[in-house]
Amino acid sequence: MPSKDIHQKMQLVPELRSRHARHPLNRSHWIHPTKEARTPKADGDEATFIAYPKPQKGQTVPVKEGYVWGPGSKGFGYYHLLTKDSYVALAARLANETTPTISCCFG
């Protein structure tokens, strides 16, 4: 998928309304949820990972601002936006979704 398509889709993603999405790489390194359980105090002292199982078919996962749900280094769950796992899960999800299109019918 061209990066332009992903960029356009990311503007519509509700998880990215978080303050951490504005400048997610404004730091020297990603936070690793397998090594760090919480973000630094300057970043809100939030959990880097919240376990949440894969839903049954037909069910959806609730949106949690500042986190992206998906598979990652600690299994399925919510990964904080300061982790690489969150963007890997988000990019995979966006690559699997179709781009919304507007159509008109003329009659």
Side-chain angles (χ1 to χ4, degrees):
M1 168 182 292
S3 61
K4 183 179 178 184
D5 291 343
I6 286 183
H7 179 71
Q8 288 175 336
K9 285 183 178 183
M10 282 191 156
Q11 293 178 11
L12 304 173
V13 175
E15 294 96 330
L16 296 180
R17 292 186 185 129
S18 165
R19 66 184 175 96
H20 297 297
R22 292 186 192 120
H23 303 285
L25 295 176
N26 191 17
R27 49 189 311 103
S28 62
H29 66 281
W30 290 105
I31 293 175
H32 298 282
T34 56
K35 297 177 184 175
E36 302 165 81
R38 303 196 67 77
T39 62
K41 287 185 181 183
D43 293 317
D45 189 32
E46 300 168 317
T48 57
F49 173 75
I50 301 168
Y52 195 92
K54 191 173 182 179
Q56 294 180 5
K57 191 170 185 163
Q59 293 182 330
T60 59
V61 176
V63 172
K64 188 167 190 55
E65 189 174 311
Y67 293 84
V68 174
W69 181 88
S73 59
K74 295 191 82 169
F76 279 94
Y78 291 98
Y79 288 88
H80 196 280
L81 285 173
L82 296 178
T83 67
K84 187 175 181 179
D85 295 80
S86 67
Y87 287 91
V88 170
L90 183 59
R93 185 174 88 200
L94 293 176
N96 288 325
E97 291 179 357
T98 58
T99 304
T101 57
I102 299 173
S103 62
C104 273
C105 297
F106 296 98

